[in-house]
Each structure stands twice: as C-alpha cells, then as structure tokens.
Amino acid sequence: MNRNLSMELVRVTEAAALAAGQWMGRGKKEEADEAATQAMRDKFNSIQMKGTVVIGEGEMDEAPMLFIGEKLGTGTGSEIDIAVDPLEGTNIVAAGTSNALATIAVADRGNLLHAPDMYMEKIAVGPESVGKIDINAPVIKNLTAVANAKNKNIEDLVVAILDRERHEKMIQEIRDSGARIKLMQDGDVAAAINTAFDNTGVDIMLGSGGAPEGVLAATALKSLGGEFQGKLLPQTEEEKNRLKKMGILDFNKVLLMDDIVKGDDAYFVATGVTNGELLKGVQYKGNIGTTHSIVMRAKTGTVRFIEGQHSLINKNN
C-alpha cells in the first residue's frame, strides 16, 4: 500500500468524528452513527483506491451504507480490505461520556479476518507483556504474568473490562486477585489500544465484546507491538454455520494476531469523538472544529498523533 495513504485515512476518521461530535450528549445514538457513517463514506470515495468493506455496519440488506462487500474509493490504485466502525461507542456519544472513536483499519486484499457480527472473547496487552498471556489460562495467571512483565504488584494493575452481566464472575476474580478495574460502558477498541500506552493507566483488557471490534483492536496492537488474542463465541446455530462457512470448524480456536491481520502492511486510524485517556474529543468553536487523531502502520511501527483544525463552512477540508 502507498505510504501516503495514511493521511488520506486520517481525513476519513476526522470527517466521521466531526459529524458525530455534533450529537454528543443529545441522547440520539442512531443519529450520531448515521452522521458518522455518511461522512466516512463520502470521504472514502475521494481516495484513489479499490477498497472493499469486509467489516462494516452490517450486511447489504441491513445497512444502507458501509455494508459488508461495499466498494469504496475511486476504483484506481491499491486493492485493500477495509474494516470500519464509524462510531465506536454510540451510547457514549449519546450520553456524552468518554472514549468514543471514529475508527478504521485497512490491509492488502485478503489480509483482514472477515469477522462476523458475533461475540469474541478477548485479551489485549501492550509491548512489555507480549508472549506472556494466554486467553485459555485462568485470570489470575494472566494477571500475575502481566504484573511480572511490567515489574508491578498485582495490586497496581488496572484491568479494563466491559461492564456487562456476563462478566460478573471474571470481575470478581479480578477483584479477588487485588487488581483494580476500569469498568467500561462501551468502547473496547479504545481499551485495547490503551494497554500499549503507559500514560493511559490501563495494563490489560479482558472479557468479551464484538468480533468486528476485535479486528480493529488487533490491527492497532500489531502496529504498536502489543498482543491480542481472541476466540469467537457463536451463540446460535446460525452463527455456528457462519463460522463453518469461514472454514472455522473448531469453535475453541484461539485467533492470534497473524490470524486476524495477515502480513505486516496494515494501517489503523482513529479520531477521538469524546475525550478519552489517549485522544481528545472533537471541540467546536464558531466555525472551527478541532480533532485529535492517531495513525499507525504495522509495517514500520510508525505512530503519529495528529491535531487538526477544520473549517466547518468548507466541508472539503
């Protein structure tokens, strides 16, 4: 892929964040998501590429835009797979809370896992803990391994986990270990990325969430030198049949990063919609919108933080 693609991709997430941010705190998550999706689609179609959405807002009959299989770009240039989450954290934006993002991941054609919309068990850590975790191991064993890798006491660890009833047993195990917990209402992509940055205070992410978000998180951590492991969790016969069609017959198969993001040429880009530990949210003042983004490339390990000022009158910025 062309290395200049990174700035084009940042413009895509900036546009989505600027559109979604207008709905922050208004209690209307569908409107926020629709605004982000439309803005993302419009900006994608100005890029010289032959893009195919492999993770999107749903199947063609479920999503009017950015559906799985949709073609994006001008039709010239690199052939790439695209995973999108125009608004990671629709409830977050509706409530005006933390860590909503506009996110995308891209890789060469055929290199992103076409993860179906189902649950995925996940574990994510930053660079210091690579090779120390095992998604099949007990919680205490993973916490001990991460604490040792980071030269911390278990009591000093912070574990990010979605605040869901299905996690009650795991949450109790974490608390019994002495570790501290950051409960998230939504947004486990941001939590996975945060494990790779000391200043966020997050050491490990555990629990189950959406499989499509797992692909985005794995792409980011591959670029950051961290580690992500996942296991798809089909809940119905229909979901099991979808996995069989993908060639996944062992439903307990552990998906490593190279299973989720093949090769080494992939980009992950995110722009903050609301304030978080890593990225600031969109700010508006008069006719100016200010954004804060991160763009990373797995091939080079380059990570850039980009602040942008955008005229809200000129929509082509």
Side-chain angles (χ1 to χ4, degrees):
M1 289 185 290
N2 188 328
R3 66 179 183 177
N4 295 324
L5 184 61
S6 62
M7 283 307 301
E8 297 290 349
L9 296 175
V10 171
R11 293 186 181 99
V12 172
T13 57
E14 287 175 339
L18 286 164
Q22 299 279 5
W23 293 94
M24 192 274 287
R26 300 184 188 274
K28 297 183 177 182
K29 65 178 184 178
E30 290 85 4
E31 287 85 348
D33 191 43
E34 182 179 348
T37 303
Q38 181 65 63
M40 185 172 277
R41 184 175 188 258
D42 290 346
K43 194 63 71 173
F44 259 130
N45 282 330
S46 69
I47 300 176
Q48 276 196 334
M49 65 178 189
K50 299 176 183 176
T52 302
V53 177
V54 298
I55 290 174
E57 293 287 272
E59 305 291 347
M60 185 185 300
D61 57 350
E62 300 170 358
M65 60 190 78
L66 292 177
F67 56 84
I68 297 168
E70 182 173 354
K71 304 299 182 182
L72 296 174
T74 61
T76 61
S78 303
E79 293 191 9
I80 61 175
D81 282 352
I82 303 170
V84 303
D85 196 342
L87 183 53
E88 152 79 348
T90 55
N91 290 320
I92 292 172
V93 171
T97 51
S98 302
N99 279 321
L101 302 173
T103 65
I104 56 178
V106 304
D108 289 322
R109 181 67 53 85
N111 280 3
L112 288 181
L113 177 72
H114 295 199
D117 190 8
M118 65 176 64
Y119 282 123
M120 174 188 276
E121 185 180 351
K122 309 172 187 180
I123 182 170
V125 293
E128 292 171 292
S129 305
V130 170
K132 309 297 184 182
I133 58 170
D134 178 359
I135 197 169
N136 288 323
V139 168
I140 185 62
K141 185 172 181 179
N142 280 314
L143 295 182
T144 300
V146 171
N148 289 338
K150 302 191 77 169
N151 195 28
K152 290 186 173 185
N153 297 319
I154 288 184
E155 292 78 8
D156 297 326
L157 291 183
V158 173
V159 183
I161 186 169
L162 285 168
D163 187 6
R164 300 290 188 270
E165 185 177 344
R166 64 181 180 271
H167 290 150
E168 284 183 357
K169 181 176 182 292
M170 185 177 289
I171 288 170
Q172 191 58 54
E173 290 177 5
I174 296 168
R175 286 178 171 154
D176 288 345
S177 76
R180 296 174 294 160
I181 291 179
K182 182 178 179 63
L183 288 175
M184 306 173 293
Q185 296 306 311
D186 290 288
D188 65 353
V189 174
I193 297 169
N194 285 347
T195 64
F197 293 90
D198 285 341
N199 62 302
T200 66
V202 178
D203 298 292
I204 180 171
M205 187 197 77
L206 295 171
S208 59
E213 289 82 0
V215 175
L216 288 158
T219 306
L221 284 171
K222 188 164 192 174
S223 304
L224 292 166
E227 184 171 0
F228 181 97
Q229 297 176 15
K231 290 171 66 174
L232 292 167
L233 301 172
Q235 305 293 303
T236 65
E237 285 303 315
E238 180 183 358
E239 290 183 349
K240 291 178 181 178
N241 288 333
R242 289 192 69 174
L243 292 189
K244 290 175 183 177
K245 289 179 181 178
M246 291 172 60
I248 299 177
L249 304 180
D250 178 7
F251 300 149
N252 290 314
K253 176 180 172 63
V254 176
L255 299 172
L256 305 177
M257 284 201 297
D258 286 340
D259 298 313
I260 300 171
V261 190
K262 297 176 184 176
D264 64 354
D265 203 2
Y267 285 99
F268 175 87
V269 185
T271 299
V273 180
T274 62
N275 286 335
E277 293 87 353
L278 189 63
L279 294 175
K280 293 177 287 189
V282 180
Q283 301 293 323
Y284 304 95
K285 186 175 182 180
N287 294 321
I288 299 295
T290 304
T291 57
H292 190 208
S293 306
I294 187 170
V295 55
M296 53 188 89
R297 189 181 188 188
K299 188 172 186 177
T300 59
T302 303
V303 179
R304 291 185 174 93
F305 288 92
I306 299 172
E307 291 194 4
Q309 286 193 350
H310 312 267
S311 169
L312 301 179
I313 298 174
N314 177 12
K315 298 298 184 181
N316 294 317
N317 54 15

